[in-house]
Amino acid sequence: MDVRPPLHRMVPLSLQHLLVSYAGMATMPLLVGVALDLPEDRIRLLVSANLLVSGLATLLQTLGVAWLGARLPLVMGSTFTAITPAVLIGREHGLAAVFGATIVAGVMTLALAPWFGRCLHLFPPLVTGTVIAVIGFSLVPSAAGLITGPGGGGGGGGAKALALAVATVALVVLIERLAPPAFARLSVLIGLAAGTLLAVPLGLFDGSAVGAAGAVAVPDPTAFGAPAFVVPAIIAMLVVQLVNMVESVGDTLAVGQIAGRGDDPETVVRALRADGAATVVSGGLSSFPIVTFGQSVGLVSVTGVMSRHVVALSGALMVLLAFVPTLGAVVAAVPGPVLGGVSLVMFGTVGAVGLRILGRADLSDGRNLLTVALAFGLGMIPVGSPDFYAGLPPYLRTVLDSGIAVTGLAAFALNLLFHHTPRRTGGRATAAPGPRSGTASGKGLA
């Protein structure tokens, strides 16, 4: 994890992380900007600010400064969980209120990080494995959306788009199976490059934005005014940030499990502190809450490249992209079906990592099996039926529309109920029997 590969090897390995994460980083500010009917120049400012903060947060998380940063190979970026609240707050109070609420959410994360560390024993493999699995599998529909295009139904190129995505996945698999180890570590980058080349004769490549992009741009945090602190907006964003903290804990523990280091309370606390500090800065620079990216977890698992310095370089490249729109346009030109095929591999891998962790729990215990069943079932409802909770108030939908949040809450509560509360036998209360082998640990994943 601490190895610094030579630059000629580090650059392509870092590009893999950048390319698989860029779509998510650009999509969040883009969707918010479009929903609020912002002019194109303002949307570009939001994207640039998001790339700048994501790059700085990735550098902080991977390299660490004092008690900030997990020093793990984790890419950081804005979270889709905040899209709906940001749009609602923006329409009611303006974007300045969104950024003010983001700053407060970051401060809350800094304050609660030590508490999360002390409670890590309440996140055994039964809980963390379930949450990580749902993080991966709940993102699969977004990979499908990249392939089909907006609205689905083949809007992104129909059969050609599907064929391109399949070819990209097949290429990644073949490289992993047949190529020497040095090339296998670049399987995702090679798949992205080859898929993009294949998209040209299929008519699925559009590079017009590259020529239209400016050579240099400077993010302007003053473009939307000073952050405003509005109580309803702050409350909504605090709820979102609690969801983000659960997701960050899951991703941090997953990478720690893969790498064999970093699945302890101290590392989780440092990771959350970095999340909080980055979110405070993000609000000050006109951007949104920052969280770990599940794509990086999948990429680390697929390629076996665990160097945090590789991911740190990808953070530096993000900062560069924030000031050079032309480079950002080149990255954004990678066709959706190609990104979708690679994302399918990444998200599926995150889900598989969760199942591997879950395998440490004793699922022959009926209580554990019921915990997994309910947590998975409730978490998949908003994935399969996005409008299931449409009739509920917005403050409830903020939580319930996130499958990850629902899964985390259900798994955590059921684990407490079955393994950490007293049971009544013979008319008197007795301590609940502890979880069977593999379901609890002071480290959460031991």
Side-chain angles (χ1 to χ4, degrees):
M1 198 180 296
D2 297 319
V3 169
R4 291 182 177 87
L7 194 61
H8 69 276
R9 293 179 59 197
M10 193 185 301
V11 170
L13 292 172
S14 300
L15 281 173
Q16 288 188 131
H17 283 281
L18 174 64
L19 290 171
V20 300
S21 304
Y22 181 88
M25 293 176 187
T27 299
M28 162 66 180
L30 178 63
L31 290 178
V32 172
V34 171
L36 296 178
D37 296 322
L38 297 180
E40 287 190 12
D41 62 327
R42 288 294 183 265
I43 294 177
R44 285 197 295 269
L45 285 175
L46 287 178
V47 173
S48 295
N50 192 259
L51 282 170
L52 174 61
V53 175
S54 298
L56 294 174
T58 299
L59 287 167
L60 178 61
Q61 194 71 276
T62 53
L63 301 181
V65 175
W67 42 271
L68 296 173
R71 297 172 176 85
L72 293 174
L74 286 165
V75 173
M76 307 292 290
S78 56
T79 168
F80 284 9
T81 311
I83 290 178
T84 300
V87 172
L88 294 176
I89 295 169
R91 287 173 177 168
E92 185 72 19
H93 306 286
L95 273 176
V98 176
F99 304 140
T102 298
I103 292 174
V104 177
V107 173
M108 181 203 69
T109 304
L110 286 167
L112 292 184
W115 180 84
F116 264 76
R118 288 194 295 270
C119 294
L120 202 58
H121 66 284
L122 300 177
F123 292 87
L126 178 67
V127 176
T128 56
T130 303
V131 172
I132 294 166
V134 170
I135 287 174
F137 295 138
S138 66
L139 290 172
V140 169
S142 66
L146 286 170
I147 296 171
T148 61
K160 289 182 180 180
L162 182 59
L164 182 58
V166 170
T168 303
V169 173
L171 186 58
V172 172
V173 172
L174 288 175
I175 293 172
E176 283 286 335
R177 175 64 180 87
L178 302 175
F183 283 96
R185 294 189 184 100
L186 296 169
S187 59
V188 172
L189 181 61
I190 296 172
L192 287 167
T196 301
L197 291 175
L198 183 59
V200 175
L202 293 176
L204 297 177
F205 177 80
D206 181 10
S208 58
V210 177
V216 179
V218 178
D220 182 7
T222 66
F224 302 95
F229 299 94
V230 181
V231 173
I234 291 172
I235 293 173
M237 201 60 75
L238 289 180
V239 174
V240 169
Q241 192 66 5
L242 286 172
V243 175
N244 295 341
M245 292 177 74
V246 173
E247 185 173 351
S248 285
V249 169
D251 286 337
T252 302
L253 292 176
V255 169
Q257 169 74 11
I258 295 167
R261 187 185 92 190
D263 56 348
D264 57 280
E266 182 182 355
T267 302
V268 170
V269 171
R270 289 201 309 266
L272 289 174
R273 283 172 174 162
D275 283 9
T279 298
V280 170
V281 173
S282 185
L285 294 179
S286 301
S287 195
F288 309 98
I290 299 296
V291 71
T292 52
F293 259 33
Q295 292 96 318
S296 65
V297 179
L299 190 56
V300 167
S301 184
V302 169
T303 64
V305 178
M306 302 176 193
S307 170
R308 59 194 177 97
H309 299 287
V310 166
V311 180
L313 180 57
S314 72
L317 293 174
M318 292 175 210
V319 174
L320 179 63
L321 290 181
F323 292 93
V324 186
T326 302
L327 294 178
V330 171
V331 175
V334 176
V338 176
L339 277 175
V342 168
S343 296
L344 181 64
V345 177
M346 298 298 100
F347 297 148
T349 302
V350 175
V353 169
L355 294 180
R356 185 174 70 185
I357 295 171
L358 191 56
R360 292 172 176 251
D362 180 12
L363 295 184
S364 64
D365 186 335
R367 299 171 300 171
N368 293 343
L369 192 62
L370 180 60
T371 297
V372 176
L374 280 176
F376 257 98
L378 292 172
M380 288 293 106
I381 286 176
V383 177
S385 181
D387 297 325
F388 187 82
Y389 299 111
L392 297 180
Y395 63 88
L396 286 178
R397 291 195 61 185
T398 298
V399 177
L400 295 177
D401 280 348
S402 169
I404 298 169
V406 173
T407 298
L409 291 172
F412 180 78
L414 290 171
N415 180 62
L416 280 181
L417 175 66
F418 290 137
H419 299 304
H420 296 276
T421 56
R423 301 177 68 184
R424 287 195 168 272
T425 57
R428 61 178 183 174
T430 61
R436 297 183 184 178
S437 174
T439 59
S441 159
K443 290 176 64 175
L445 285 173

